[in-house]
Amino acid sequence: MYTYSFEKLEVWNESKEFTKTIYTITSTFPDQEKFGLISQLRRAAVSIYSNIAEGSARTTYKDKAHFTTMAFSSAIEVINQLILCFEMNFISEEVYSKLRLELESITNKLNGLRNYQINK
């Protein structure tokens, strides 16, 4: 089976694992959040690694950097939503801190990837 270039990126793999964690955690949220925070948080998390994958198929580095920027923006959206989840007591401080650290790693890698793409 062919391996696409995005599948080799550490940041894509981290983002994929992070998204799986978000799916697991949000499955414990109150049912009334099914079409609110659960849906929004899952879509934003999926958007991180989807934009990395989509950007990898673009032909110019400027276009690739645009999709990396969108992935970064989605990560910031997830942070924003996690703040609310924590304040609403949907997640513990321990889970919140762990997720923030994972996102910090992802956003740092996205910044590095974007800088590489912009300077190419």
Side-chain angles (χ1 to χ4, degrees), residues 5-36:
S5 61
F6 69 87
E7 294 176 284
K8 299 172 188 172
L9 292 173
E10 190 176 318
V11 68
W12 179 83
N13 281 292
E14 261 187 59
S15 300
K16 178 174 57 92
E17 293 306 313
F18 178 81
T19 300
K20 290 168 24 180
T21 301
I22 290 295
Y23 266 77
T24 301
I25 289 168
T26 55
S27 68
T28 66
F29 284 16
D31 286 340
Q32 68 264 26
E33 289 301 326
K34 186 174 187 175
F35 300 108

PDB file of all heavy atoms in Angstrom, residues 5-36:
ATOM      1  N   SER A   5       2.804  11.366   1.579  1.00  0.00           N
ATOM      2  CA  SER A   5       3.803  12.158   2.291  1.00  0.00           C
ATOM      3  C   SER A   5       3.305  12.655   3.643  1.00  0.00           C
ATOM      4  O   SER A   5       4.063  12.679   4.612  1.00  0.00           O
ATOM      5  CB  SER A   5       4.259  13.342   1.437  1.00  0.00           C
ATOM      6  OG  SER A   5       3.170  14.200   1.148  1.00  0.00           O
ATOM      7  N   PHE A   6       2.029  13.017   3.734  1.00  0.00           N
ATOM      8  CA  PHE A   6       1.513  13.529   5.012  1.00  0.00           C
ATOM      9  C   PHE A   6       1.534  12.472   6.103  1.00  0.00           C
ATOM     10  O   PHE A   6       1.676  12.793   7.280  1.00  0.00           O
ATOM     11  CB  PHE A   6       0.095  14.113   4.854  1.00  0.00           C
ATOM     12  CG  PHE A   6      -0.974  13.100   4.566  1.00  0.00           C
ATOM     13  CD1 PHE A   6      -1.631  12.443   5.594  1.00  0.00           C
ATOM     14  CD2 PHE A   6      -1.355  12.826   3.258  1.00  0.00           C
ATOM     15  CE1 PHE A   6      -2.630  11.517   5.337  1.00  0.00           C
ATOM     16  CE2 PHE A   6      -2.348  11.908   2.981  1.00  0.00           C
ATOM     17  CZ  PHE A   6      -2.992  11.243   4.027  1.00  0.00           C
ATOM     18  N   GLU A   7       1.421  11.205   5.716  1.00  0.00           N
ATOM     19  CA  GLU A   7       1.422  10.115   6.693  1.00  0.00           C
ATOM     20  C   GLU A   7       2.778   9.959   7.376  1.00  0.00           C
ATOM     21  O   GLU A   7       2.871   9.347   8.435  1.00  0.00           O
ATOM     22  CB  GLU A   7       1.039   8.798   6.022  1.00  0.00           C
ATOM     23  CG  GLU A   7      -0.391   8.770   5.519  1.00  0.00           C
ATOM     24  CD  GLU A   7      -0.710   7.497   4.782  1.00  0.00           C
ATOM     25  OE1 GLU A   7      -0.279   7.360   3.611  1.00  0.00           O
ATOM     26  OE2 GLU A   7      -1.369   6.624   5.386  1.00  0.00           O
ATOM     27  N   LYS A   8       3.808  10.524   6.777  1.00  0.00           N
ATOM     28  CA  LYS A   8       5.150  10.455   7.335  1.00  0.00           C
ATOM     29  C   LYS A   8       5.449  11.613   8.289  1.00  0.00           C
ATOM     30  O   LYS A   8       6.456  11.597   8.982  1.00  0.00           O
ATOM     31  CB  LYS A   8       6.180  10.457   6.199  1.00  0.00           C
ATOM     32  CG  LYS A   8       6.036   9.279   5.257  1.00  0.00           C
ATOM     33  CD  LYS A   8       6.929   9.435   4.056  1.00  0.00           C
ATOM     34  CE  LYS A   8       6.637   8.363   3.015  1.00  0.00           C
ATOM     35  NZ  LYS A   8       7.361   8.608   1.761  1.00  0.00           N
ATOM     36  N   LEU A   9       4.558  12.606   8.306  1.00  0.00           N
ATOM     37  CA  LEU A   9       4.783  13.781   9.152  1.00  0.00           C
ATOM     38  C   LEU A   9       4.428  13.483  10.603  1.00  0.00           C
ATOM     39  O   LEU A   9       3.332  13.013  10.904  1.00  0.00           O
ATOM     40  CB  LEU A   9       3.934  14.966   8.665  1.00  0.00           C
ATOM     41  CG  LEU A   9       4.300  15.569   7.324  1.00  0.00           C
ATOM     42  CD1 LEU A   9       3.256  16.602   6.917  1.00  0.00           C
ATOM     43  CD2 LEU A   9       5.683  16.201   7.397  1.00  0.00           C
ATOM     44  N   GLU A  10       5.364  13.780  11.477  1.00  0.00           N
ATOM     45  CA  GLU A  10       5.146  13.584  12.911  1.00  0.00           C
ATOM     46  C   GLU A  10       3.943  14.391  13.404  1.00  0.00           C
ATOM     47  O   GLU A  10       3.145  13.905  14.205  1.00  0.00           O
ATOM     48  CB  GLU A  10       6.407  13.988  13.678  1.00  0.00           C
ATOM     49  CG  GLU A  10       6.390  13.621  15.133  1.00  0.00           C
ATOM     50  CD  GLU A  10       7.703  13.957  15.816  1.00  0.00           C
ATOM     51  OE1 GLU A  10       8.772  13.718  15.224  1.00  0.00           O
ATOM     52  OE2 GLU A  10       7.637  14.457  16.954  1.00  0.00           O
ATOM     53  N   VAL A  11       3.803  15.611  12.895  1.00  0.00           N
ATOM     54  CA  VAL A  11       2.704  16.465  13.342  1.00  0.00           C
ATOM     55  C   VAL A  11       1.353  15.900  12.904  1.00  0.00           C
ATOM     56  O   VAL A  11       0.360  16.011  13.622  1.00  0.00           O
ATOM     57  CB  VAL A  11       2.888  17.931  12.884  1.00  0.00           C
ATOM     58  CG1 VAL A  11       2.752  18.095  11.369  1.00  0.00           C
ATOM     59  CG2 VAL A  11       1.916  18.845  13.603  1.00  0.00           C
ATOM     60  N   TRP A  12       1.285  15.276  11.739  1.00  0.00           N
ATOM     61  CA  TRP A  12       0.027  14.662  11.294  1.00  0.00           C
ATOM     62  C   TRP A  12      -0.311  13.480  12.201  1.00  0.00           C
ATOM     63  O   TRP A  12      -1.457  13.337  12.636  1.00  0.00           O
ATOM     64  CB  TRP A  12       0.123  14.211   9.838  1.00  0.00           C
ATOM     65  CG  TRP A  12      -1.151  13.564   9.367  1.00  0.00           C
ATOM     66  CD1 TRP A  12      -2.275  14.196   8.912  1.00  0.00           C
ATOM     67  CD2 TRP A  12      -1.435  12.164   9.328  1.00  0.00           C
ATOM     68  NE1 TRP A  12      -3.242  13.269   8.606  1.00  0.00           N
ATOM     69  CE2 TRP A  12      -2.744  12.011   8.850  1.00  0.00           C
ATOM     70  CE3 TRP A  12      -0.703  11.024   9.656  1.00  0.00           C
ATOM     71  CZ2 TRP A  12      -3.344  10.761   8.676  1.00  0.00           C
ATOM     72  CZ3 TRP A  12      -1.298   9.786   9.494  1.00  0.00           C
ATOM     73  CH2 TRP A  12      -2.606   9.658   9.006  1.00  0.00           C
ATOM     74  N   ASN A  13       0.678  12.649  12.504  1.00  0.00           N
ATOM     75  CA  ASN A  13       0.440  11.493  13.373  1.00  0.00           C
ATOM     76  C   ASN A  13       0.028  11.922  14.782  1.00  0.00           C
ATOM     77  O   ASN A  13      -0.874  11.346  15.370  1.00  0.00           O
ATOM     78  CB  ASN A  13       1.668  10.576  13.407  1.00  0.00           C
ATOM     79  CG  ASN A  13       1.734   9.705  12.173  1.00  0.00           C
ATOM     80  OD1 ASN A  13       0.907   8.839  11.989  1.00  0.00           O
ATOM     81  ND2 ASN A  13       2.705   9.967  11.311  1.00  0.00           N
ATOM     82  N   GLU A  14       0.689  12.954  15.306  1.00  0.00           N
ATOM     83  CA  GLU A  14       0.314  13.479  16.629  1.00  0.00           C
ATOM     84  C   GLU A  14      -1.118  14.007  16.615  1.00  0.00           C
ATOM     85  O   GLU A  14      -1.882  13.786  17.553  1.00  0.00           O
ATOM     86  CB  GLU A  14       1.257  14.612  17.040  1.00  0.00           C
ATOM     87  CG  GLU A  14       2.339  14.196  17.977  1.00  0.00           C
ATOM     88  CD  GLU A  14       3.145  15.391  18.484  1.00  0.00           C
ATOM     89  OE1 GLU A  14       2.563  16.310  19.105  1.00  0.00           O
ATOM     90  OE2 GLU A  14       4.363  15.384  18.251  1.00  0.00           O
ATOM     91  N   SER A  15      -1.459  14.717  15.551  1.00  0.00           N
ATOM     92  CA  SER A  15      -2.800  15.290  15.433  1.00  0.00           C
ATOM     93  C   SER A  15      -3.860  14.205  15.323  1.00  0.00           C
ATOM     94  O   SER A  15      -4.959  14.338  15.880  1.00  0.00           O
ATOM     95  CB  SER A  15      -2.878  16.211  14.220  1.00  0.00           C
ATOM     96  OG  SER A  15      -1.959  17.266  14.330  1.00  0.00           O
ATOM     97  N   LYS A  16      -3.533  13.148  14.625  1.00  0.00           N
ATOM     98  CA  LYS A  16      -4.476  12.028  14.492  1.00  0.00           C
ATOM     99  C   LYS A  16      -4.724  11.376  15.848  1.00  0.00           C
ATOM    100  O   LYS A  16      -5.873  11.125  16.231  1.00  0.00           O
ATOM    101  CB  LYS A  16      -3.933  11.000  13.493  1.00  0.00           C
ATOM    102  CG  LYS A  16      -4.824   9.777  13.315  1.00  0.00           C
ATOM    103  CD  LYS A  16      -4.320   8.863  12.219  1.00  0.00           C
ATOM    104  CE  LYS A  16      -2.917   8.393  12.411  1.00  0.00           C
ATOM    105  NZ  LYS A  16      -2.728   7.152  13.101  1.00  0.00           N
ATOM    106  N   GLU A  17      -3.660  11.134  16.589  1.00  0.00           N
ATOM    107  CA  GLU A  17      -3.810  10.532  17.919  1.00  0.00           C
ATOM    108  C   GLU A  17      -4.554  11.476  18.866  1.00  0.00           C
ATOM    109  O   GLU A  17      -5.385  11.034  19.668  1.00  0.00           O
ATOM    110  CB  GLU A  17      -2.438  10.153  18.489  1.00  0.00           C
ATOM    111  CG  GLU A  17      -1.750   9.025  17.733  1.00  0.00           C
ATOM    112  CD  GLU A  17      -2.615   7.784  17.595  1.00  0.00           C
ATOM    113  OE1 GLU A  17      -3.208   7.347  18.599  1.00  0.00           O
ATOM    114  OE2 GLU A  17      -2.721   7.253  16.464  1.00  0.00           O
ATOM    115  N   PHE A  18      -4.272  12.764  18.748  1.00  0.00           N
ATOM    116  CA  PHE A  18      -4.973  13.758  19.564  1.00  0.00           C
ATOM    117  C   PHE A  18      -6.476  13.726  19.268  1.00  0.00           C
ATOM    118  O   PHE A  18      -7.294  13.765  20.183  1.00  0.00           O
ATOM    119  CB  PHE A  18      -4.406  15.160  19.298  1.00  0.00           C
ATOM    120  CG  PHE A  18      -5.114  16.237  20.058  1.00  0.00           C
ATOM    121  CD1 PHE A  18      -4.805  16.482  21.387  1.00  0.00           C
ATOM    122  CD2 PHE A  18      -6.113  16.994  19.453  1.00  0.00           C
ATOM    123  CE1 PHE A  18      -5.481  17.466  22.105  1.00  0.00           C
ATOM    124  CE2 PHE A  18      -6.778  17.979  20.159  1.00  0.00           C
ATOM    125  CZ  PHE A  18      -6.469  18.214  21.488  1.00  0.00           C
ATOM    126  N   THR A  19      -6.816  13.631  18.003  1.00  0.00           N
ATOM    127  CA  THR A  19      -8.226  13.594  17.603  1.00  0.00           C
ATOM    128  C   THR A  19      -8.920  12.363  18.169  1.00  0.00           C
ATOM    129  O   THR A  19     -10.061  12.447  18.649  1.00  0.00           O
ATOM    130  CB  THR A  19      -8.350  13.636  16.070  1.00  0.00           C
ATOM    131  OG1 THR A  19      -7.756  14.856  15.611  1.00  0.00           O
ATOM    132  CG2 THR A  19      -9.802  13.575  15.631  1.00  0.00           C
ATOM    133  N   LYS A  20      -8.246  11.241  18.158  1.00  0.00           N
ATOM    134  CA  LYS A  20      -8.827  10.025  18.743  1.00  0.00           C
ATOM    135  C   LYS A  20      -9.078  10.219  20.238  1.00  0.00           C
ATOM    136  O   LYS A  20     -10.102   9.779  20.772  1.00  0.00           O
ATOM    137  CB  LYS A  20      -7.933   8.816  18.454  1.00  0.00           C
ATOM    138  CG  LYS A  20      -7.972   8.439  16.979  1.00  0.00           C
ATOM    139  CD  LYS A  20      -6.968   7.455  16.445  1.00  0.00           C
ATOM    140  CE  LYS A  20      -6.297   6.468  17.255  1.00  0.00           C
ATOM    141  NZ  LYS A  20      -5.354   5.612  16.531  1.00  0.00           N
ATOM    142  N   THR A  21      -8.155  10.908  20.902  1.00  0.00           N
ATOM    143  CA  THR A  21      -8.334  11.216  22.324  1.00  0.00           C
ATOM    144  C   THR A  21      -9.554  12.114  22.529  1.00  0.00           C
ATOM    145  O   THR A  21     -10.358  11.893  23.442  1.00  0.00           O
ATOM    146  CB  THR A  21      -7.073  11.896  22.902  1.00  0.00           C
ATOM    147  OG1 THR A  21      -5.957  11.020  22.732  1.00  0.00           O
ATOM    148  CG2 THR A  21      -7.249  12.249  24.365  1.00  0.00           C
ATOM    149  N   ILE A  22      -9.707  13.118  21.681  1.00  0.00           N
ATOM    150  CA  ILE A  22     -10.861  14.021  21.773  1.00  0.00           C
ATOM    151  C   ILE A  22     -12.158  13.243  21.599  1.00  0.00           C
ATOM    152  O   ILE A  22     -13.128  13.455  22.336  1.00  0.00           O
ATOM    153  CB  ILE A  22     -10.754  15.168  20.734  1.00  0.00           C
ATOM    154  CG1 ILE A  22      -9.639  16.141  21.114  1.00  0.00           C
ATOM    155  CG2 ILE A  22     -12.089  15.896  20.554  1.00  0.00           C
ATOM    156  CD1 ILE A  22      -9.857  16.903  22.415  1.00  0.00           C
ATOM    157  N   TYR A  23     -12.201  12.328  20.655  1.00  0.00           N
ATOM    158  CA  TYR A  23     -13.402  11.507  20.458  1.00  0.00           C
ATOM    159  C   TYR A  23     -13.717  10.691  21.713  1.00  0.00           C
ATOM    160  O   TYR A  23     -14.875  10.600  22.127  1.00  0.00           O
ATOM    161  CB  TYR A  23     -13.237  10.585  19.243  1.00  0.00           C
ATOM    162  CG  TYR A  23     -13.792  11.186  17.978  1.00  0.00           C
ATOM    163  CD1 TYR A  23     -13.098  12.167  17.290  1.00  0.00           C
ATOM    164  CD2 TYR A  23     -15.029  10.787  17.481  1.00  0.00           C
ATOM    165  CE1 TYR A  23     -13.602  12.733  16.133  1.00  0.00           C
ATOM    166  CE2 TYR A  23     -15.549  11.341  16.321  1.00  0.00           C
ATOM    167  CZ  TYR A  23     -14.833  12.318  15.651  1.00  0.00           C
ATOM    168  OH  TYR A  23     -15.350  12.881  14.516  1.00  0.00           O
ATOM    169  N   THR A  24     -12.701  10.122  22.317  1.00  0.00           N
ATOM    170  CA  THR A  24     -12.905   9.331  23.530  1.00  0.00           C
ATOM    171  C   THR A  24     -13.402  10.197  24.679  1.00  0.00           C
ATOM    172  O   THR A  24     -14.370   9.836  25.366  1.00  0.00           O
ATOM    173  CB  THR A  24     -11.589   8.623  23.930  1.00  0.00           C
ATOM    174  OG1 THR A  24     -11.174   7.778  22.851  1.00  0.00           O
ATOM    175  CG2 THR A  24     -11.769   7.790  25.189  1.00  0.00           C
ATOM    176  N   ILE A  25     -12.756  11.325  24.886  1.00  0.00           N
ATOM    177  CA  ILE A  25     -13.124  12.205  25.998  1.00  0.00           C
ATOM    178  C   ILE A  25     -14.525  12.776  25.825  1.00  0.00           C
ATOM    179  O   ILE A  25     -15.309  12.817  26.775  1.00  0.00           O
ATOM    180  CB  ILE A  25     -12.069  13.318  26.169  1.00  0.00           C
ATOM    181  CG1 ILE A  25     -10.780  12.710  26.737  1.00  0.00           C
ATOM    182  CG2 ILE A  25     -12.582  14.441  27.056  1.00  0.00           C
ATOM    183  CD1 ILE A  25      -9.590  13.626  26.691  1.00  0.00           C
ATOM    184  N   THR A  26     -14.848  13.208  24.620  1.00  0.00           N
ATOM    185  CA  THR A  26     -16.164  13.824  24.404  1.00  0.00           C
ATOM    186  C   THR A  26     -17.302  12.814  24.488  1.00  0.00           C
ATOM    187  O   THR A  26     -18.449  13.207  24.672  1.00  0.00           O
ATOM    188  CB  THR A  26     -16.232  14.576  23.060  1.00  0.00           C
ATOM    189  OG1 THR A  26     -15.875  13.690  22.002  1.00  0.00           O
ATOM    190  CG2 THR A  26     -15.321  15.791  23.066  1.00  0.00           C
ATOM    191  N   SER A  27     -16.981  11.538  24.389  1.00  0.00           N
ATOM    192  CA  SER A  27     -18.040  10.523  24.522  1.00  0.00           C
ATOM    193  C   SER A  27     -18.602  10.485  25.942  1.00  0.00           C
ATOM    194  O   SER A  27     -19.665   9.917  26.176  1.00  0.00           O
ATOM    195  CB  SER A  27     -17.530   9.140  24.103  1.00  0.00           C
ATOM    196  OG  SER A  27     -16.562   8.676  25.022  1.00  0.00           O
ATOM    197  N   THR A  28     -17.897  11.126  26.893  1.00  0.00           N
ATOM    198  CA  THR A  28     -18.371  11.163  28.280  1.00  0.00           C
ATOM    199  C   THR A  28     -19.126  12.460  28.599  1.00  0.00           C
ATOM    200  O   THR A  28     -19.627  12.614  29.708  1.00  0.00           O
ATOM    201  CB  THR A  28     -17.190  11.049  29.268  1.00  0.00           C
ATOM    202  OG1 THR A  28     -16.359  12.217  29.159  1.00  0.00           O
ATOM    203  CG2 THR A  28     -16.370   9.800  29.005  1.00  0.00           C
ATOM    204  N   PHE A  29     -19.206  13.379  27.637  1.00  0.00           N
ATOM    205  CA  PHE A  29     -19.888  14.654  27.858  1.00  0.00           C
ATOM    206  C   PHE A  29     -21.396  14.436  27.973  1.00  0.00           C
ATOM    207  O   PHE A  29     -21.921  13.437  27.478  1.00  0.00           O
ATOM    208  CB  PHE A  29     -19.604  15.617  26.706  1.00  0.00           C
ATOM    209  CG  PHE A  29     -18.235  16.247  26.740  1.00  0.00           C
ATOM    210  CD1 PHE A  29     -17.208  15.758  27.521  1.00  0.00           C
ATOM    211  CD2 PHE A  29     -17.968  17.348  25.953  1.00  0.00           C
ATOM    212  CE1 PHE A  29     -15.956  16.345  27.530  1.00  0.00           C
ATOM    213  CE2 PHE A  29     -16.722  17.951  25.944  1.00  0.00           C
ATOM    214  CZ  PHE A  29     -15.719  17.448  26.739  1.00  0.00           C
ATOM    215  N   PRO A  30     -22.101  15.388  28.569  1.00  0.00           N
ATOM    216  CA  PRO A  30     -23.564  15.275  28.672  1.00  0.00           C
ATOM    217  C   PRO A  30     -24.225  15.163  27.290  1.00  0.00           C
ATOM    218  O   PRO A  30     -23.749  15.775  26.323  1.00  0.00           O
ATOM    219  CB  PRO A  30     -23.975  16.588  29.354  1.00  0.00           C
ATOM    220  CG  PRO A  30     -22.742  17.109  30.005  1.00  0.00           C
ATOM    221  CD  PRO A  30     -21.590  16.601  29.197  1.00  0.00           C
ATOM    222  N   ASP A  31     -25.297  14.401  27.216  1.00  0.00           N
ATOM    223  CA  ASP A  31     -26.002  14.191  25.945  1.00  0.00           C
ATOM    224  C   ASP A  31     -26.459  15.488  25.296  1.00  0.00           C
ATOM    225  O   ASP A  31     -26.499  15.595  24.072  1.00  0.00           O
ATOM    226  CB  ASP A  31     -27.207  13.269  26.139  1.00  0.00           C
ATOM    227  CG  ASP A  31     -26.790  11.821  26.344  1.00  0.00           C
ATOM    228  OD1 ASP A  31     -25.649  11.463  25.976  1.00  0.00           O
ATOM    229  OD2 ASP A  31     -27.610  11.040  26.869  1.00  0.00           O
ATOM    230  N   GLN A  32     -26.817  16.484  26.099  1.00  0.00           N
ATOM    231  CA  GLN A  32     -27.309  17.733  25.527  1.00  0.00           C
ATOM    232  C   GLN A  32     -26.218  18.485  24.762  1.00  0.00           C
ATOM    233  O   GLN A  32     -26.513  19.425  24.029  1.00  0.00           O
ATOM    234  CB  GLN A  32     -27.962  18.644  26.580  1.00  0.00           C
ATOM    235  CG  GLN A  32     -27.007  19.219  27.601  1.00  0.00           C
ATOM    236  CD  GLN A  32     -26.961  18.427  28.888  1.00  0.00           C
ATOM    237  OE1 GLN A  32     -27.229  17.232  28.912  1.00  0.00           O
ATOM    238  NE2 GLN A  32     -26.622  19.089  29.980  1.00  0.00           N
ATOM    239  N   GLU A  33     -24.963  18.067  24.899  1.00  0.00           N
ATOM    240  CA  GLU A  33     -23.858  18.688  24.167  1.00  0.00           C
ATOM    241  C   GLU A  33     -23.561  17.989  22.846  1.00  0.00           C
ATOM    242  O   GLU A  33     -22.624  18.369  22.138  1.00  0.00           O
ATOM    243  CB  GLU A  33     -22.595  18.723  25.028  1.00  0.00           C
ATOM    244  CG  GLU A  33     -22.654  19.709  26.164  1.00  0.00           C
ATOM    245  CD  GLU A  33     -22.888  21.137  25.694  1.00  0.00           C
ATOM    246  OE1 GLU A  33     -22.408  21.520  24.601  1.00  0.00           O
ATOM    247  OE2 GLU A  33     -23.560  21.875  26.425  1.00  0.00           O
ATOM    248  N   LYS A  34     -24.367  16.990  22.491  1.00  0.00           N
ATOM    249  CA  LYS A  34     -24.126  16.208  21.278  1.00  0.00           C
ATOM    250  C   LYS A  34     -23.993  17.092  20.036  1.00  0.00           C
ATOM    251  O   LYS A  34     -23.142  16.868  19.199  1.00  0.00           O
ATOM    252  CB  LYS A  34     -25.254  15.191  21.087  1.00  0.00           C
ATOM    253  CG  LYS A  34     -25.039  14.243  19.955  1.00  0.00           C
ATOM    254  CD  LYS A  34     -26.123  13.182  19.925  1.00  0.00           C
ATOM    255  CE  LYS A  34     -25.815  12.129  18.902  1.00  0.00           C
ATOM    256  NZ  LYS A  34     -26.772  11.033  18.930  1.00  0.00           N
ATOM    257  N   PHE A  35     -24.861  18.098  19.930  1.00  0.00           N
ATOM    258  CA  PHE A  35     -24.820  18.970  18.756  1.00  0.00           C
ATOM    259  C   PHE A  35     -24.177  20.311  19.068  1.00  0.00           C
ATOM    260  O   PHE A  35     -24.196  21.225  18.259  1.00  0.00           O
ATOM    261  CB  PHE A  35     -26.242  19.164  18.205  1.00  0.00           C
ATOM    262  CG  PHE A  35     -26.871  17.859  17.807  1.00  0.00           C
ATOM    263  CD1 PHE A  35     -27.893  17.317  18.573  1.00  0.00           C
ATOM    264  CD2 PHE A  35     -26.420  17.158  16.704  1.00  0.00           C
ATOM    265  CE1 PHE A  35     -28.464  16.109  18.222  1.00  0.00           C
ATOM    266  CE2 PHE A  35     -26.982  15.946  16.350  1.00  0.00           C
ATOM    267  CZ  PHE A  35     -28.012  15.419  17.112  1.00  0.00           C
ATOM    268  N   GLY A  36     -23.595  20.423  20.238  1.00  0.00           N
ATOM    269  CA  GLY A  36     -22.902  21.638  20.656  1.00  0.00           C
ATOM    270  C   GLY A  36     -21.414  21.393  20.735  1.00  0.00           C
ATOM    271  O   GLY A  36     -20.741  21.179  19.726  1.00  0.00           O
TER     272      GLY A  36
END
